[in-house]
């Protein structure tokens, strides 16, 4: 929906990423599992090398993902679909300018069966201090 502005359309890069999620689902899930194990190791005070101590470490808190400038929410829906039926994602937050929020909300609502963990929030870019140090 290009009527909502630049964030309303489906960009070729977004479509390429969606195809990657679909065509490389095993790799996507495997990498998220590795991130989860790394997070668990760091949380327990380990070195964070991602080893996690072996396969018995699987399970536990999933990965938290943040999509900045989501626009229409398409990639968030694709990631939710790629991880459906698993606990790999603990949280998936999608953000953009406030004028894109209605379209993003429609995408989230249309995919509610996949997006139980999604938090669609406006990210008001004009309120971000570009000189702030992170």
């Amino acid at each position: 929906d290009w009527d909502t502005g630049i964030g309303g359309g489906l960009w070729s890069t977004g479509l390429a990423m969606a195809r990657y999620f679909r065509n490389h689902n095993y790799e996507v899930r495997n990498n998220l599992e590795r991130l989860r194990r790394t997070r668990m190791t760091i949380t327990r005070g380990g070195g964070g090398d991602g080893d996690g101590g072996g396969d018995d470490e699987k399970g536990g808190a999933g990965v938290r993902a943040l999509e900045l400038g989501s626009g229409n929410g398409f990639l968030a829906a694709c990631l939710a679909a790629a991880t459906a039926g698993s606990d790999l994602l603990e949280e998936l937050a999608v953000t953009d300018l406030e004028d894109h929020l209605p379209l993003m909300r429609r995408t989230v609502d249309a995919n509610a069966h996949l997006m139980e963990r999604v938090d669609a929030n406006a990210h008001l870019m004009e309120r971000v201090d570009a000189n702030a140090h992170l």
Side-chain angles (χ1 to χ4, degrees):
D1 183 5
W2 286 102
D3 291 339
T4 62
I6 197 166
L10 179 57
W11 290 68
S12 59
T13 51
L15 188 55
M17 193 70 173
R19 286 183 179 140
Y20 182 84
F21 289 161
R22 182 191 66 202
N23 296 335
H24 300 278
N25 189 265
Y26 175 79
E27 290 89 350
V28 170
R29 285 173 170 255
N30 190 44
N31 285 329
L32 288 172
E33 181 60 42
R34 287 176 51 219
L35 285 171
R36 176 184 16 207
R37 287 194 316 254
T38 299
R39 179 177 173 204
M40 290 171 55
T41 300
I42 291 170
T43 301
R44 284 193 219 116
D49 60 5
D51 179 34
D55 288 340
D56 59 328
E57 295 282 333
K58 288 187 179 181
V63 174
R64 293 179 184 154
L66 170 65
E67 183 181 7
L68 298 173
S70 179
N72 56 23
F74 175 69
L75 278 181
C78 291
L79 183 59
T83 60
S86 75
D87 60 351
L88 291 170
L89 285 179
E90 179 178 330
E91 180 181 8
L92 174 57
V94 294
T95 66
D96 210 314
L97 297 170
E98 192 166 7
D99 58 337
H100 300 309
L101 208 54
L103 179 57
M104 188 188 311
R105 174 54 58 199
R106 284 197 307 267
T107 301
V108 169
D109 290 346
N111 294 281
H113 61 289
L114 299 172
M115 304 179 82
E116 298 165 350
R117 300 166 308 251
V118 176
D119 180 20
N121 291 306
H123 181 70
L124 304 176
M125 298 297 288
E126 48 279 340
R127 292 189 185 173
V128 173
D129 181 358
N131 296 316
H133 297 283
L134 299 177

